[in-house]
Amino acid sequence: MADETLTIRDNRTGTEIEVPIVDGTIHATDLRQLGLTSYDPAFLNTASCRSAITYIDGDAGILRYRGYPIEQVAEHATFLETAWLLLEGELPTKEQLAAWEDEVRTHTYVHTNVTTFLDGFRHDAHPMGMLLGAVGALSTFYPDAKNIGDAESRRLQKVRLIAKFPTIAAWVFRHTRGLPYVFPRNDLDYIGNFVNMTFEIGGRHEPNPVLQRALEILLILHADHEQNASTNAVRGVGSTHVDPFSAVSAGVAALYGPLHGGANEAVLLMLDEIGTKDRVPEFIESVKAGHGRLMGFGHRVYKSYDPRAKLIKRVADDVFAETGLNPKLEIALELEKIALEDEYFVSRKLYPNVDFYSGLIYQAMGYPTDYFTVLFALGRLPGWVSQWDEMLGDPEQKIARPRQIYTGYDERDFVPLEQRG
Ligand code: ACO
């Protein structure tokens, strides 16, 4: 028995059990001794796994990847370095990083048949719908990905996913614009290659190092966030032992939802609705009166501040110094100023979250609003594949199959069609 225990007395029968408390949790299966099941819709207070990847302390505003504070990772690492850290658990040595970058570079090409079925999408197809279909379809190009029990095969699929995702994401962008697909260039780094594949026209694209680094930081800030909805989807689907392309497409599908990946788009719509800075107080009053929410504010886990939002604000300064001020930024700054002083928001611990400024930045970089979630997916990918791999290596994990509380009819006899009224 663990040092710390919880005694549970079932008043129906007088039975008492003592269950161990380990890492601040009790095991739901211990309740079976009393014939009980735990009920936790939407997993508000359930840990679904053990994970050594990302640590969050929502009250203190702390986010760490493999123990390293997000502030330090965002300042010093590249995106591929961050991906290695999440996947392997340690920062790479110089040699490891060079070999990793080289390996990713050699897998950036995607079978050209993918362009054929991307062409089949309507011109106004949502970028996330196309991304989800194309990533899932990769499983048909790599049937060896089914060998999820083989560590070397798993490693290869992780490399393929991280290498090919930017190519597909960029092609999705080109399709929405009716532009020809640009193929990967091996002389460019990960971010430079992605930006070139999205924006190159007629063989020309003048890279802007400030904007590229800003994009890289945003992707790093999104790289993992423990058991969020899309990661939970990747783990849940992956627990059936399907190939990782299919599991990751489930993550893309979850991220597509407006409650998860779509909030930065909603911030821009809100700023459009407000229109001018002088209308901010009126808007704040309407939110306080219960008419809608201040999008980009509040978080389920962070109840002091979202550490990513602080970093993003700095990135915004760099980007707007480069691109010129976006008129919406003025409205956003005013909203933030007023909300941070207002008793309604302060008492409810509502602070700007990661989405408050990210949409404005993406827009300034030239991405359309319906593409923002694709950028989020590109950033979150290393987290998805790291969590998928961790789950497969965890002997406690089985197929994710929750229970239910049945609320339907008791048994009743089938009524033949001619006897139904
Ligand atoms: N604007 C105004 N009031 C808010 C907001 C907001 N953005 N967020 C929460 N509140 C209020 C609620 O009305 C509630 O008030 P009450 O106690 O008087 O009823 C109180 O704060 C608590 O709100 P909950 O909904 O219980 O908080 P929860 O933790 O469930 O919600 C969420 C978190 C969904 C992020 C919420 O703050 C929200 O809707 N924010 C706006 C959308 C957004 O920015 N989402 C992005 C999240 S970050 C991400 O997904 C990457």
Side-chain angles (χ1 to χ4, degrees):
M1 189 56 71
D3 290 347
E4 292 183 322
T5 60
L6 175 74
T7 304
I8 305 173
R9 182 184 155 79
D10 185 343
N11 287 328
R12 297 168 307 174
T13 59
T15 315
E16 235 175 50
I17 59 168
E18 206 178 343
V19 300
I21 300 175
V22 181
D23 296 328
T25 59
I26 56 163
H27 212 299
T29 53
D30 284 337
L31 294 174
R32 282 186 187 150
Q33 298 169 59
L34 297 171
L36 290 173
T37 303
S38 62
Y39 176 56
D40 187 8
F43 309 128
L44 292 188
N45 193 33
T46 292
S48 64
C49 61
R50 296 179 157 275
S51 180
I53 301 173
T54 291
Y55 173 78
I56 299 177
D57 180 336
D59 292 325
I62 291 173
L63 169 61
R64 296 184 197 131
Y65 293 162
R66 300 284 190 184
Y68 295 103
I70 187 64
E71 293 79 5
Q72 294 178 24
V73 179
E75 186 177 346
H76 300 295
T78 63
F79 183 68
L80 277 188
E81 205 177 347
T82 308
W84 173 283
L85 172 67
L86 292 171
L87 285 162
E88 303 293 331
E90 296 296 338
L91 288 167
T93 62
K94 259 190 194 164
E95 293 72 30
Q96 284 170 329
L97 183 60
W100 166 236
E101 288 169 346
D102 205 47
E103 192 176 18
V104 168
R105 203 173 282 129
T106 56
H107 284 277
T108 49
Y109 268 65
V110 175
H111 197 293
T112 47
N113 284 7
V114 172
T115 62
T116 317
F117 67 75
L118 280 178
D119 284 341
F121 284 109
R122 278 171 55 116
H123 71 281
D124 57 354
H126 195 285
M128 281 299 276
M130 290 192 271
L131 183 70
L132 137 65
V135 171
L138 284 185
S139 68
T140 65
F141 291 88
Y142 303 109
D144 57 315
K146 289 186 175 58
N147 302 330
I148 54 116
D150 178 72
E152 186 44 37
S153 170
R154 280 205 307 279
R155 204 190 67 80
L156 176 59
Q157 313 318 327
K158 289 186 282 183
V159 176
R160 282 176 170 156
L161 267 159
I162 287 179
K164 294 178 199 307
F165 208 91
T167 310
I168 293 177
W171 287 356
V172 161
F173 181 86
R174 306 292 288 195
H175 180 80
T176 57
R177 298 274 163 119
L179 288 167
Y181 304 117
V182 175
F183 285 83
R185 268 179 47 187
N186 284 354
D187 58 320
L188 297 176
D189 65 18
Y190 192 81
I191 303 293
N193 197 20
F194 169 67
V195 173
N196 188 67
M197 286 188 288
T198 45
F199 291 123
E200 188 215 271
I201 301 276
R204 290 176 63 177
H205 170 251
E206 209 54 60
N208 180 320
V210 175
L211 296 192
Q212 287 198 9
R213 180 60 191 157
L215 178 61
E216 182 156 50
I217 294 174
L218 287 187
L219 298 185
I220 291 171
L221 297 181
H222 285 90
D224 196 46
H225 213 230
E226 50 121 298
Q227 304 312 312
N228 58 90
S230 57
T231 301
N232 184 51
V234 172
R235 276 182 173 261
V237 172
S239 78
T240 68
H241 289 186
V242 74
D243 67 87
F245 301 101
S246 303
V248 165
S249 71
V252 177
L255 196 68
Y256 193 178
L259 290 186
H260 188 9
N264 50 14
E265 192 176 339
V267 171
L268 286 197
L269 296 175
M270 175 188 74
L271 297 176
D272 275 341
E273 188 193 321
I274 297 172
T276 50
K277 186 178 155 187
D278 57 299
R279 292 194 53 214
V280 168
E282 183 192 322
F283 181 80
I284 295 263
E285 286 313 311
S286 75
V287 168
K288 286 162 62 179
H291 307 302
R293 290 196 162 194
L294 182 47
M295 298 311 288
F297 261 68
H299 196 277
R300 171 60 65 75
V301 180
Y302 295 118
K303 296 300 177 196
S304 69
Y305 65 89
D306 181 341
R308 302 167 300 172
K310 268 195 178 170
L311 296 164
I312 280 191
K313 198 157 175 206
R314 253 185 272 151
V315 173
D317 291 340
D318 295 345
V319 168
F320 292 123
E322 205 62 24
T323 62
L325 274 191
N326 181 330
K328 290 194 191 112
L329 179 67
E330 223 194 354
I331 306 173
L333 288 169
E334 184 69 6
L335 264 183
E336 186 184 12
K337 188 170 140 268
I338 297 185
L340 289 179
E341 289 164 357
D342 192 296
E343 165 60 18
Y344 176 95
F345 297 93
V346 174
S347 64
R348 287 170 178 76
K349 301 185 175 173
L350 299 170
Y351 297 87
N353 61 45
V354 68
D355 288 321
F356 193 64
Y357 285 106
S358 64
L360 280 168
I361 298 173
Y362 291 145
Q363 193 178 54
M365 288 173 173
Y367 295 103
T369 40
D370 64 359
Y371 195 74
F372 296 170
T373 320
V374 173
L375 297 168
F376 191 159
L378 179 59
R380 183 55 51 89
L381 180 66
W384 288 336
V385 289
S386 307
Q387 301 260 357
W388 168 76
D389 201 33
E390 185 183 62
M391 176 205 56
L392 290 175
D394 180 349
E396 281 193 311
Q397 290 293 333
K398 296 173 186 288
I399 185 168
R401 202 307 188 179
R403 305 296 303 274
Q404 65 166 12
I405 299 172
Y406 178 68
T407 59
Y409 290 105
D410 277 342
E411 183 179 330
R412 49 187 181 153
D413 285 330
F414 184 83
V415 182
L417 186 58
E418 55 279 10
Q419 291 173 23
R420 286 176 225 158

mmCIF file of all heavy atoms in Angstrom, residues 362-393:
data_model
loop_
_atom_site.group_PDB
_atom_site.id
_atom_site.type_symbol
_atom_site.label_atom_id
_atom_site.label_comp_id
_atom_site.label_asym_id
_atom_site.label_seq_id
_atom_site.Cartn_x
_atom_site.Cartn_y
_atom_site.Cartn_z
ATOM 1 N N TYR A 362 -0.377 36.186 -37.883
ATOM 2 C CA TYR A 362 -0.490 35.378 -39.106
ATOM 3 C C TYR A 362 -1.051 36.223 -40.248
ATOM 4 O O TYR A 362 -0.617 36.102 -41.388
ATOM 5 C CB TYR A 362 -1.410 34.168 -38.877
ATOM 6 C CG TYR A 362 -0.852 33.104 -37.947
ATOM 7 C CD1 TYR A 362 -1.687 32.397 -37.088
ATOM 8 C CD2 TYR A 362 0.507 32.780 -37.957
ATOM 9 C CE1 TYR A 362 -1.181 31.412 -36.245
ATOM 10 C CE2 TYR A 362 1.014 31.800 -37.112
ATOM 11 C CZ TYR A 362 0.165 31.123 -36.257
ATOM 12 O OH TYR A 362 0.661 30.153 -35.426
ATOM 13 N N GLN A 363 -2.009 37.076 -39.909
ATOM 14 C CA GLN A 363 -2.591 37.917 -40.957
ATOM 15 C C GLN A 363 -1.537 38.872 -41.524
ATOM 16 O O GLN A 363 -1.430 39.051 -42.730
ATOM 17 C CB GLN A 363 -3.773 38.703 -40.391
ATOM 18 C CG GLN A 363 -4.609 39.348 -41.469
ATOM 19 C CD GLN A 363 -5.809 40.076 -40.902
ATOM 20 O OE1 GLN A 363 -5.665 40.921 -40.021
ATOM 21 N NE2 GLN A 363 -6.978 39.755 -41.395
ATOM 22 N N ALA A 364 -0.741 39.448 -40.618
ATOM 23 C CA ALA A 364 0.305 40.377 -41.077
ATOM 24 C C ALA A 364 1.329 39.653 -41.952
ATOM 25 O O ALA A 364 1.951 40.259 -42.829
ATOM 26 C CB ALA A 364 1.003 41.005 -39.869
ATOM 27 N N MET A 365 1.493 38.350 -41.722
ATOM 28 C CA MET A 365 2.445 37.575 -42.537
ATOM 29 C C MET A 365 1.868 37.213 -43.906
ATOM 30 O O MET A 365 2.572 36.672 -44.748
ATOM 31 C CB MET A 365 2.801 36.268 -41.808
ATOM 32 C CG MET A 365 3.688 36.457 -40.610
ATOM 33 S SD MET A 365 3.853 34.866 -39.749
ATOM 34 C CE MET A 365 5.093 35.322 -38.526
ATOM 35 N N GLY A 366 0.570 37.433 -44.091
ATOM 36 C CA GLY A 366 -0.036 37.176 -45.399
ATOM 37 C C GLY A 366 -0.888 35.921 -45.463
ATOM 38 O O GLY A 366 -1.306 35.512 -46.550
ATOM 39 N N TYR A 367 -1.158 35.297 -44.285
ATOM 40 C CA TYR A 367 -1.998 34.093 -44.310
ATOM 41 C C TYR A 367 -3.460 34.479 -44.118
ATOM 42 O O TYR A 367 -3.780 35.307 -43.256
ATOM 43 C CB TYR A 367 -1.583 33.119 -43.197
ATOM 44 C CG TYR A 367 -0.191 32.567 -43.401
ATOM 45 C CD1 TYR A 367 0.885 33.048 -42.655
ATOM 46 C CD2 TYR A 367 0.047 31.582 -44.342
ATOM 47 C CE1 TYR A 367 2.168 32.556 -42.853
ATOM 48 C CE2 TYR A 367 1.327 31.085 -44.546
ATOM 49 C CZ TYR A 367 2.371 31.575 -43.801
ATOM 50 O OH TYR A 367 3.635 31.090 -43.998
ATOM 51 N N PRO A 368 -4.371 33.875 -44.900
ATOM 52 C CA PRO A 368 -5.794 34.168 -44.711
ATOM 53 C C PRO A 368 -6.328 33.529 -43.421
ATOM 54 O O PRO A 368 -5.759 32.544 -42.938
ATOM 55 C CB PRO A 368 -6.448 33.524 -45.946
ATOM 56 C CG PRO A 368 -5.484 32.496 -46.412
ATOM 57 C CD PRO A 368 -4.112 32.911 -45.959
ATOM 58 N N THR A 369 -7.422 34.056 -42.899
ATOM 59 C CA THR A 369 -7.919 33.599 -41.598
ATOM 60 C C THR A 369 -8.222 32.095 -41.570
ATOM 61 O O THR A 369 -7.945 31.436 -40.572
ATOM 62 C CB THR A 369 -9.188 34.355 -41.159
ATOM 63 O OG1 THR A 369 -10.003 34.538 -42.286
ATOM 64 C CG2 THR A 369 -8.880 35.671 -40.545
ATOM 65 N N ASP A 370 -8.776 31.547 -42.664
ATOM 66 C CA ASP A 370 -9.126 30.126 -42.596
ATOM 67 C C ASP A 370 -7.896 29.219 -42.689
ATOM 68 O O ASP A 370 -8.016 27.996 -42.627
ATOM 69 C CB ASP A 370 -10.201 29.745 -43.635
ATOM 70 C CG ASP A 370 -9.729 29.916 -45.057
ATOM 71 O OD1 ASP A 370 -8.580 30.354 -45.275
ATOM 72 O OD2 ASP A 370 -10.527 29.608 -45.982
ATOM 73 N N TYR A 371 -6.720 29.829 -42.816
ATOM 74 C CA TYR A 371 -5.483 29.035 -42.858
ATOM 75 C C TYR A 371 -4.787 28.987 -41.491
ATOM 76 O O TYR A 371 -3.872 28.205 -41.286
ATOM 77 C CB TYR A 371 -4.536 29.623 -43.909
ATOM 78 C CG TYR A 371 -3.396 28.702 -44.297
ATOM 79 C CD1 TYR A 371 -3.615 27.583 -45.107
ATOM 80 C CD2 TYR A 371 -2.108 28.929 -43.836
ATOM 81 C CE1 TYR A 371 -2.577 26.728 -45.445
ATOM 82 C CE2 TYR A 371 -1.063 28.083 -44.176
ATOM 83 C CZ TYR A 371 -1.309 26.977 -44.984
ATOM 84 O OH TYR A 371 -0.291 26.134 -45.316
ATOM 85 N N PHE A 372 -5.233 29.836 -40.554
ATOM 86 C CA PHE A 372 -4.545 29.914 -39.250
ATOM 87 C C PHE A 372 -4.448 28.546 -38.568
ATOM 88 O O PHE A 372 -3.443 28.204 -37.956
ATOM 89 C CB PHE A 372 -5.277 30.858 -38.293
ATOM 90 C CG PHE A 372 -5.312 32.302 -38.715
ATOM 91 C CD1 PHE A 372 -6.127 33.203 -38.043
ATOM 92 C CD2 PHE A 372 -4.554 32.772 -39.776
ATOM 93 C CE1 PHE A 372 -6.171 34.535 -38.417
ATOM 94 C CE2 PHE A 372 -4.603 34.099 -40.165
ATOM 95 C CZ PHE A 372 -5.414 34.978 -39.476
ATOM 96 N N THR A 373 -5.527 27.758 -38.654
ATOM 97 C CA THR A 373 -5.528 26.484 -37.939
ATOM 98 C C THR A 373 -4.548 25.481 -38.569
ATOM 99 O O THR A 373 -4.033 24.596 -37.895
ATOM 100 C CB THR A 373 -6.961 25.900 -37.875
ATOM 101 O OG1 THR A 373 -7.864 26.968 -37.623
ATOM 102 C CG2 THR A 373 -7.096 24.891 -36.773
ATOM 103 N N VAL A 374 -4.292 25.653 -39.875
ATOM 104 C CA VAL A 374 -3.283 24.791 -40.517
ATOM 105 C C VAL A 374 -1.909 25.073 -39.891
ATOM 106 O O VAL A 374 -1.124 24.156 -39.626
ATOM 107 C CB VAL A 374 -3.255 25.037 -42.043
ATOM 108 C CG1 VAL A 374 -2.105 24.283 -42.694
ATOM 109 C CG2 VAL A 374 -4.588 24.640 -42.672
ATOM 110 N N LEU A 375 -1.644 26.349 -39.621
ATOM 111 C CA LEU A 375 -0.367 26.711 -38.993
ATOM 112 C C LEU A 375 -0.296 26.139 -37.574
ATOM 113 O O LEU A 375 0.754 25.671 -37.128
ATOM 114 C CB LEU A 375 -0.201 28.232 -38.979
ATOM 115 C CG LEU A 375 -0.135 28.868 -40.377
ATOM 116 C CD1 LEU A 375 -0.260 30.386 -40.292
ATOM 117 C CD2 LEU A 375 1.168 28.490 -41.078
ATOM 118 N N PHE A 376 -1.414 26.166 -36.893
ATOM 119 C CA PHE A 376 -1.487 25.570 -35.549
ATOM 120 C C PHE A 376 -1.156 24.067 -35.657
ATOM 121 O O PHE A 376 -0.355 23.514 -34.886
ATOM 122 C CB PHE A 376 -2.898 25.800 -34.992
ATOM 123 C CG PHE A 376 -3.111 25.486 -33.535
ATOM 124 C CD1 PHE A 376 -4.186 26.067 -32.849
ATOM 125 C CD2 PHE A 376 -2.290 24.619 -32.835
ATOM 126 C CE1 PHE A 376 -4.424 25.783 -31.514
ATOM 127 C CE2 PHE A 376 -2.522 24.326 -31.493
ATOM 128 C CZ PHE A 376 -3.585 24.899 -30.843
ATOM 129 N N ALA A 377 -1.753 23.410 -36.657
ATOM 130 C CA ALA A 377 -1.524 21.961 -36.831
ATOM 131 C C ALA A 377 -0.050 21.674 -37.115
ATOM 132 O O ALA A 377 0.528 20.731 -36.567
ATOM 133 C CB ALA A 377 -2.397 21.427 -37.963
ATOM 134 N N LEU A 378 0.550 22.504 -37.949
ATOM 135 C CA LEU A 378 1.973 22.323 -38.274
ATOM 136 C C LEU A 378 2.814 22.437 -36.998
ATOM 137 O O LEU A 378 3.744 21.658 -36.777
ATOM 138 C CB LEU A 378 2.382 23.390 -39.304
ATOM 139 C CG LEU A 378 3.827 23.415 -39.776
ATOM 140 C CD1 LEU A 378 4.217 22.090 -40.414
ATOM 141 C CD2 LEU A 378 4.033 24.550 -40.787
ATOM 142 N N GLY A 379 2.460 23.396 -36.159
ATOM 143 C CA GLY A 379 3.172 23.553 -34.892
ATOM 144 C C GLY A 379 2.937 22.385 -33.954
ATOM 145 O O GLY A 379 3.862 21.889 -33.312
ATOM 146 N N ARG A 380 1.708 21.901 -33.876
ATOM 147 C CA ARG A 380 1.348 20.867 -32.889
ATOM 148 C C ARG A 380 1.832 19.464 -33.289
ATOM 149 O O ARG A 380 1.871 18.548 -32.453
ATOM 150 C CB ARG A 380 -0.185 20.891 -32.695
ATOM 151 C CG ARG A 380 -0.791 19.968 -31.667
ATOM 152 C CD ARG A 380 -0.211 20.099 -30.260
ATOM 153 N NE ARG A 380 -0.147 21.435 -29.709
ATOM 154 C CZ ARG A 380 -1.099 22.044 -29.012
ATOM 155 N NH1 ARG A 380 -2.213 21.421 -28.768
ATOM 156 N NH2 ARG A 380 -0.922 23.279 -28.539
ATOM 157 N N LEU A 381 2.219 19.300 -34.548
ATOM 158 C CA LEU A 381 2.575 17.964 -35.040
ATOM 159 C C LEU A 381 3.634 17.232 -34.192
ATOM 160 O O LEU A 381 3.444 16.051 -33.863
ATOM 161 C CB LEU A 381 3.026 18.074 -36.506
ATOM 162 C CG LEU A 381 3.442 16.774 -37.165
ATOM 163 C CD1 LEU A 381 2.258 15.824 -37.300
ATOM 164 C CD2 LEU A 381 4.049 17.049 -38.535
ATOM 165 N N PRO A 382 4.755 17.883 -33.813
ATOM 166 C CA PRO A 382 5.734 17.144 -33.007
ATOM 167 C C PRO A 382 5.133 16.631 -31.698
ATOM 168 O O PRO A 382 5.474 15.542 -31.231
ATOM 169 C CB PRO A 382 6.837 18.181 -32.725
ATOM 170 C CG PRO A 382 6.681 19.206 -33.786
ATOM 171 C CD PRO A 382 5.225 19.249 -34.131
ATOM 172 N N GLY A 383 4.230 17.407 -31.128
ATOM 173 C CA GLY A 383 3.556 16.965 -29.901
ATOM 174 C C GLY A 383 2.707 15.730 -30.175
ATOM 175 O O GLY A 383 2.766 14.748 -29.438
ATOM 176 N N TRP A 384 1.932 15.768 -31.254
ATOM 177 C CA TRP A 384 1.072 14.622 -31.574
ATOM 178 C C TRP A 384 1.892 13.344 -31.732
ATOM 179 O O TRP A 384 1.556 12.317 -31.165
ATOM 180 C CB TRP A 384 0.289 14.891 -32.872
ATOM 181 C CG TRP A 384 -0.812 15.897 -32.752
ATOM 182 C CD1 TRP A 384 -1.491 16.262 -31.628
ATOM 183 C CD2 TRP A 384 -1.376 16.666 -33.827
ATOM 184 N NE1 TRP A 384 -2.447 17.211 -31.940
ATOM 185 C CE2 TRP A 384 -2.407 17.472 -33.271
ATOM 186 C CE3 TRP A 384 -1.140 16.758 -35.195
ATOM 187 C CZ2 TRP A 384 -3.169 18.346 -34.035
ATOM 188 C CZ3 TRP A 384 -1.905 17.630 -35.964
ATOM 189 C CH2 TRP A 384 -2.906 18.415 -35.390
ATOM 190 N N VAL A 385 2.986 13.440 -32.539
ATOM 191 C CA VAL A 385 3.727 12.195 -32.795
ATOM 192 C C VAL A 385 4.498 11.736 -31.556
ATOM 193 O O VAL A 385 4.639 10.532 -31.326
ATOM 194 C CB VAL A 385 4.643 12.278 -34.048
ATOM 195 C CG1 VAL A 385 3.821 12.302 -35.315
ATOM 196 C CG2 VAL A 385 5.574 13.442 -34.019
ATOM 197 N N SER A 386 4.973 12.694 -30.751
ATOM 198 C CA SER A 386 5.668 12.298 -29.514
ATOM 199 C C SER A 386 4.699 11.583 -28.573
ATOM 200 O O SER A 386 5.040 10.568 -27.957
ATOM 201 C CB SER A 386 6.232 13.516 -28.774
ATOM 202 O OG SER A 386 7.026 14.286 -29.613
ATOM 203 N N GLN A 387 3.505 12.134 -28.456
ATOM 204 C CA GLN A 387 2.508 11.548 -27.542
ATOM 205 C C GLN A 387 2.032 10.193 -28.060
ATOM 206 O O GLN A 387 1.781 9.268 -27.287
ATOM 207 C CB GLN A 387 1.322 12.501 -27.383
ATOM 208 C CG GLN A 387 1.697 13.861 -26.853
ATOM 209 C CD GLN A 387 1.440 14.029 -25.362
ATOM 210 O OE1 GLN A 387 0.918 13.136 -24.696
ATOM 211 N NE2 GLN A 387 1.816 15.164 -24.831
ATOM 212 N N TRP A 388 1.904 10.073 -29.384
ATOM 213 C CA TRP A 388 1.510 8.790 -30.008
ATOM 214 C C TRP A 388 2.547 7.721 -29.666
ATOM 215 O O TRP A 388 2.211 6.616 -29.230
ATOM 216 C CB TRP A 388 1.391 8.996 -31.518
ATOM 217 C CG TRP A 388 1.279 7.733 -32.311
ATOM 218 C CD1 TRP A 388 0.176 6.933 -32.441
ATOM 219 C CD2 TRP A 388 2.319 7.113 -33.080
ATOM 220 N NE1 TRP A 388 0.473 5.853 -33.243
ATOM 221 C CE2 TRP A 388 1.784 5.946 -33.654
ATOM 222 C CE3 TRP A 388 3.660 7.427 -33.356
ATOM 223 C CZ2 TRP A 388 2.531 5.101 -34.477
ATOM 224 C CZ3 TRP A 388 4.401 6.595 -34.182
ATOM 225 C CH2 TRP A 388 3.835 5.445 -34.724
ATOM 226 N N ASP A 389 3.813 8.081 -29.834
ATOM 227 C CA ASP A 389 4.892 7.129 -29.593
ATOM 228 C C ASP A 389 4.976 6.761 -28.100
ATOM 229 O O ASP A 389 5.157 5.595 -27.738
ATOM 230 C CB ASP A 389 6.216 7.745 -30.059
ATOM 231 C CG ASP A 389 7.256 6.685 -30.328
ATOM 232 O OD1 ASP A 389 6.872 5.583 -30.760
ATOM 233 O OD2 ASP A 389 8.446 6.957 -30.092
ATOM 234 N N GLU A 390 4.832 7.786 -27.262
ATOM 235 C CA GLU A 390 4.888 7.538 -25.816
ATOM 236 C C GLU A 390 3.772 6.579 -25.394
ATOM 237 O O GLU A 390 3.980 5.657 -24.610
ATOM 238 C CB GLU A 390 4.766 8.865 -25.056
ATOM 239 C CG GLU A 390 4.940 8.720 -23.555
ATOM 240 C CD GLU A 390 4.736 10.038 -22.819
ATOM 241 O OE1 GLU A 390 3.624 10.601 -22.880
ATOM 242 O OE2 GLU A 390 5.691 10.526 -22.180
ATOM 243 N N MET A 391 2.589 6.801 -25.987
ATOM 244 C CA MET A 391 1.443 5.947 -25.643
ATOM 245 C C MET A 391 1.714 4.493 -26.016
ATOM 246 O O MET A 391 1.451 3.574 -25.237
ATOM 247 C CB MET A 391 0.204 6.437 -26.386
ATOM 248 C CG MET A 391 -0.996 5.549 -26.163
ATOM 249 S SD MET A 391 -2.188 5.643 -27.475
ATOM 250 C CE MET A 391 -1.253 5.235 -28.910
ATOM 251 N N LEU A 392 2.299 4.288 -27.228
ATOM 252 C CA LEU A 392 2.531 2.905 -27.668
ATOM 253 C C LEU A 392 3.569 2.195 -26.800
ATOM 254 O O LEU A 392 3.567 0.980 -26.679
ATOM 255 C CB LEU A 392 2.955 2.881 -29.141
ATOM 256 C CG LEU A 392 1.843 3.262 -30.132
ATOM 257 C CD1 LEU A 392 2.393 3.331 -31.547
ATOM 258 C CD2 LEU A 392 0.678 2.279 -30.072
ATOM 259 N N GLY A 393 4.454 2.997 -26.197
ATOM 260 C CA GLY A 393 5.486 2.395 -25.352
ATOM 261 C C GLY A 393 5.059 2.238 -23.903
ATOM 262 O O GLY A 393 5.833 1.765 -23.064
#
